[in-house]
Amino acid sequence: MDANNLFSVEWTYLRPEMIVLGGAVLLALLDLLAGRRLPRQLFGWLALVSVVLAGAAIWQNIQTVGQPIGFMADMLRIDSFGNAFKLLFVSGVAFTFLLSFSHLQRDAIPHHGEYSYLLLIGLLGAMVMASSADLITMFVGLELLSLSSYILVGIRKHRLASNESAFKYVVSGGIASAFTLFGMSYLYGLSGTTNLHEMTSRIGQAANSGFGAMVLISFVFLVAGLTFKIAAAPNHMWAPDVYQGAPTPVTAYLAVVSKAAGFALIVRLVLLAYGGVLTEQGQSLLLTELSGYLSIIAGLTMMIGNLMALRQVHLKRLMAYSGIAHAGYLLIPFVSLTQLSFEQVIFYLLAYLVGTFGLFAAIETISRDQRTEELKGFAGLYHRAPVLAVAVTILVVSLAGLPVTAGFFGKFYLLMSALANGRYWLTAIMLATSTISFFYYFGFIRQMYMRSGETEASVKIPAGAAFIIGVAALATLLGGLFPGLPSEFIHQHFNSGFDLGGIMKPGE
Amino acid sequence: MVNNTLLSLITFSPLLVIVVLMFTPKQMVGTIKTIGVLGTLLPLIMSLMLFAGFDYSAGLQFIERRDWIKIPIGLDQNGSLTFFPIRYEMGIDGASMPLLLLTAIIGTLAAVGSWQMKRRLREYFILYHLLLIGMFGVFSAQNLFLFFLFFELTLIPVYFLLGIWGYAERERAANKFLLYNGIGSAILLLAFIAIFVQLQTVNFGELQQVLTNPDDPLSGYLSPEYRYGLFVALFIAFGIKLPIFPFHSWMLNVHVQAPPPVVMIHSAILLKMGAYGLLRIGINFFPDQAYEFSVWLAVFGLINIFYGAVLATVQKDLKMVLAYSSISHMGMVLLGFAAMNSIGFQGAIFQLVSHGLISALLFFIVGVIWDRTGTSTITELGGIAKSMPFISGVFLAGALASLGLPGMSGFISEFLALMGLFGAMPLHAAIGAIGLIFTTIYVLRAVLRAVYGPTPSRLTRLADAQPMEAIPLVVLLGVIILIGIYPAVLSDPLQKTLDSIVPVVTGIGG
């Protein structure tokens, strides 16, 4: 169903992207022409509307798309893989806007016009990353997301911390992009194409005709560059500083949307580009040597994230390390590829999304209330806002991976696939580091229930944050009691036409 | 098959209490206490009904099976997802029924013991009932998955109960508790998932069938080495809970720092979950490996007995004496397991129940003494028998039961465990018997010094037991004596179940 020219393209399937792009353009024009005269919340609401509309359009695509549809020689590819990730991005960005309203109101974020459309552009970048099957569009999507994030991090330009983190983010992000691009150039040089589906067999041939070392070099550079987006070792160092300096909604956005987009890109790129490379025994190199490298990264990431998180007292830094640890867990289905890896990644990301966003909403509420972004702000919360404290308890228990929450089943699935593939030491690291994580996640519980805060006054929770926390806690519990529901949903709607290289074809 | 919902009703009846408590204003302290205590009668009455209806000639009974979770495990030829159903499976047999009943009894008595609690009562009772759900669930679950969920469910309430209502060093104790048990749970989960991935079932009955029947087609999936690894993993995971010697330090902190009712629950029930798991999952599923490992079981058991006993003789704090005494008594359970025969297992389960009752009794009394005198240090006490004759008398009786006086439950359980072991490893059994002498020394040293002797002037006017305190004392002591003089009350229901485990074990071991 490939379209050869722009006129035979079935544009209807690109509605989600078009809506987001249109929303961003509209907001930019509005801001330019009438920025000062309009109520500041208007931008947020307009952006939220376009995000919701895009979500509806994605939903419609999910219902109607059977086989993958490629546009312009797979420059963009509408398939269930992309759709699943796009739904995650859209819900993440919608949460971000909900969380931002109180921020916008207080004027904590200046330039509300830019803020809103940059978030939309970042979302567009993420969507392109998830649905492109071509190096060029992949990189364009990556840069769209990155560049808009750099500005978002530094949007409070009169604050030193915000500037510092934006600067760090730009510099380390630039280096990571260079690494990625360098790796991509090897891929292009070896295969002579930027199309990932053509690349699969050509890279395989190249590896067998004496260019094996080159293939490995490209892999190492690509992965080294891409670990930046997902904040995994060795490119995780930026996360704590950047998270700390960015406005809380942007931090949550980086921790969830940006990270998930990185995963979408890595999954498709690595599976398609290297899926065709076989060892002498006829096994896929992805299942043998390359997964060895990936498992080292996964193990290191889990250990660094969880160990460093132990010593954090600043909430956002804590969440940064927690996010690093989760990136490590999320690499496990990659290391132990099975037919279910995709479902596992999506399920885990879903659990991570609700857990992290809910917790960030709570952090935002507390740090506004207590004027501190440190863990001790949570002290005595149970006496001040019991419902909020119970909701936060559910969320941290889920992030720690204890039953009966969605996070438990996320980890359960990962463990299952790792054990089924005989990845024993990785499993051991995962279990050991998860146990370590109890410590810092229960730090919230210790503060909320066992310490007394400075005041006993009840906490005022903004409506947006309350909504997010409520939805997140409820979803976390439901996901833990009936984990079959999301799994089945993911499978029913996303598994058809799931074609990522030779390894993961259905029915094998 | 018709589902029997009694076990589910027992397990989840505390939920009703939790909901009622949530809607009770927290100022109504008296009402909260009353609801919290009377609420525990629900599962107790139903457990007694279950006991009355228990069929001694049947194995697994009161079975309930419902569809629950579907775990995706792969894709079929058409690319659609194949699911593995994890059912909600409850049931009970002779090995778990006594422990369930014990949980219900101690659950009620410890709630009565909570009458003295003063701070944040509503939260306290909510968490307390949450803990009850977990404990009932562990003993009624009939598959690995459900077992694990309930096992973990006990973790969070204990963490809170310990961390909020404990004594001075409560947070440290809570953290240590979480760390050790977190590691244990992680290892447990690892072993469970490994079993599930390899054998594609989690049901207890099916697993026993597959793992102990060499002709079963799935049986070949697990090499003996793999099984041995699994058994050792289970031994460590449950050993942390039990606790076995190098992993015991968390349990001392819990026993010293937790409020008295929580210690009662902890030492009477939660430690037993480790032993129950070791029998039900470890030994039951991997009899060959358990048999190979049985010498080590005996050695660890002896280490526990002597380590606990020796250290108990030098402790200054009554709570520490009792904590080390628990370690020592749990060693006797290991000896019973090591025997790998019917008598030994019977002794082990007797010991679980008996120690549950005795330690609950003793910790309750220590709590009462603390309440009156503000201390549990042995040297600061003394002569309290004059002002508290009733409590002191029960204390002494409990101590005698603990050291294994004939006519009380402690005697019969230790006797059975050692007798079982004599059949298999006479030397180890003989050494174990020497441990009993130590028990006599440390128990009598501590109790006699605290209860008799000269009375310090500030201890002359202590009130004897209130009615609310007398109930647990009388009930516990009564059951201890009942088992001591009429052990058939326990051994009859046990027999059928042990028969289903034992032939498998001895059939191979010879």
Side-chain angles (χ1 to χ4, degrees), chain B residues 188-416:
Chain B
L188 197 62
L189 184 62
L190 182 72
F192 283 4
I193 296 180
I195 293 174
F196 169 63
V197 167
Q198 297 288 337
L199 300 175
Q200 312 264 309
T201 176
V202 287
N203 178 274
F204 281 172
E206 288 170 19
L207 278 173
Q208 196 196 10
Q209 174 67 21
V210 171
L211 283 165
T212 57
N213 182 0
D215 304 327
D216 194 285
L218 279 173
S219 177
Y221 276 34
L222 290 183
S223 65
E225 292 76 28
Y226 200 102
R227 288 177 189 220
Y228 199 77
L230 282 176
F231 181 78
V232 172
L234 290 171
F235 176 73
I236 295 172
F238 290 126
I240 290 174
K241 199 89 188 170
L242 195 57
I244 288 169
F245 163 62
F247 313 121
H248 64 281
S249 69
W250 66 273
M251 167 268 205
L252 300 172
N253 292 45
V254 172
H255 277 193
V256 175
Q257 298 300 333
V262 178
V263 182
M264 280 172 78
I265 294 266
H266 187 262
S267 98
I269 315 292
L270 293 173
L271 301 185
K272 275 52 183 185
M273 283 168 22
Y276 172 74
L278 190 59
L279 179 69
R280 165 80 357 123
I281 295 166
I283 295 172
N284 196 11
F285 293 165
F286 303 102
D288 298 7
Q289 287 67 33
Y291 188 78
E292 259 179 78
F293 197 77
S294 64
V295 177
W296 288 106
L297 284 177
V299 169
F300 276 111
L302 288 177
I303 293 175
N304 255 37
I305 290 178
F306 283 97
Y307 176 83
V310 168
L311 283 174
T313 49
V314 297
Q315 296 305 317
K316 295 191 177 67
D317 189 337
L318 267 180
K319 288 186 205 161
M320 285 299 266
V321 174
L322 295 181
Y324 277 111
S325 145
S326 286
I327 295 179
S328 183
H329 281 101
M330 288 296 107
M332 198 55 83
V333 174
L334 283 179
L335 287 193
F337 287 159
M340 286 284 151
N341 54 36
S342 179
I343 303 176
F345 288 158
Q346 208 167 41
I349 291 178
F350 262 83
Q351 177 75 336
L352 292 181
V353 175
S354 152
H355 178 258
L357 297 165
I358 295 171
S359 68
L361 177 67
L362 295 180
F363 273 113
F364 181 80
I365 294 173
V366 171
V368 171
I369 293 177
W370 172 282
D371 215 47
R372 305 274 200 284
T373 65
T375 179
S376 59
T377 309
I378 298 170
T379 47
E380 290 177 14
L381 294 167
I384 56 172
K386 289 205 184 73
S387 48
M388 303 196 289
F390 178 74
I391 290 178
S392 302
V394 179
F395 196 21
L396 190 62
L400 292 177
S402 175
L403 60 82
L405 189 78
M408 288 167 140
S409 63
F411 169 74
I412 186 83
S413 51
E414 284 172 0
F415 178 74
L416 283 172

Side-chain angles (χ1 to χ4, degrees), chain A residues 292-374:
Chain A
Y293 296 132
L294 285 173
S295 66
I296 293 172
I297 291 180
L300 272 179
T301 309
M302 287 187 268
M303 287 196 272
I304 291 172
N306 282 312
L307 288 173
M308 295 296 285
L310 282 179
R311 304 209 61 82
Q312 303 305 321
V313 287
H314 191 276
L315 285 164
K316 285 184 186 168
R317 293 185 80 85
L318 177 69
M319 290 307 286
Y321 283 111
S322 142
I324 293 171
H326 285 284
Y329 304 142
L330 267 165
L331 282 170
I332 287 179
F334 231 125
V335 175
S336 49
L337 282 172
T338 61
Q339 296 165 324
L340 298 175
S341 293
F342 172 69
E343 271 104 338
Q344 288 162 352
V345 170
I346 295 288
F347 189 97
Y348 199 95
L349 274 174
L350 207 61
Y352 172 73
L353 180 142
V354 289
T356 304
F357 251 106
L359 202 49
F360 267 119
I363 288 173
E364 159 74 3
T365 309
I366 296 303
S367 51
R368 261 163 51 105
D369 182 78
Q370 292 284 302
R371 306 199 179 287
T372 170
E373 289 193 338
E374 297 200 348

Side-chain angles (χ1 to χ4, degrees), chain A residues 178-262:
Chain A
F179 268 83
T180 313
L181 212 50
F182 192 70
M184 283 181 172
S185 72
Y186 269 75
L187 280 183
Y188 176 68
L190 287 166
S191 64
T193 177
T194 55
N195 181 304
L196 290 175
H197 287 274
E198 289 173 22
M199 203 178 279
T200 310
S201 59
R202 295 201 194 167
I203 292 288
Q205 286 163 8
N208 287 337
S209 41
F211 294 102
M214 299 280 185
V215 173
L216 273 188
I217 290 176
S218 72
F219 180 79
V220 168
F221 273 93
L222 262 185
V223 171
L226 291 175
T227 47
F228 176 79
K229 266 277 148 272
I230 60 171
N235 260 328
H236 61 278
M237 264 92 94
W238 60 275
D241 291 338
V242 172
Y243 282 21
Q244 187 176 8
T248 309
V250 175
T251 311
Y253 165 80
L254 288 181
V256 176
V257 179
S258 178
K259 195 177 285 244

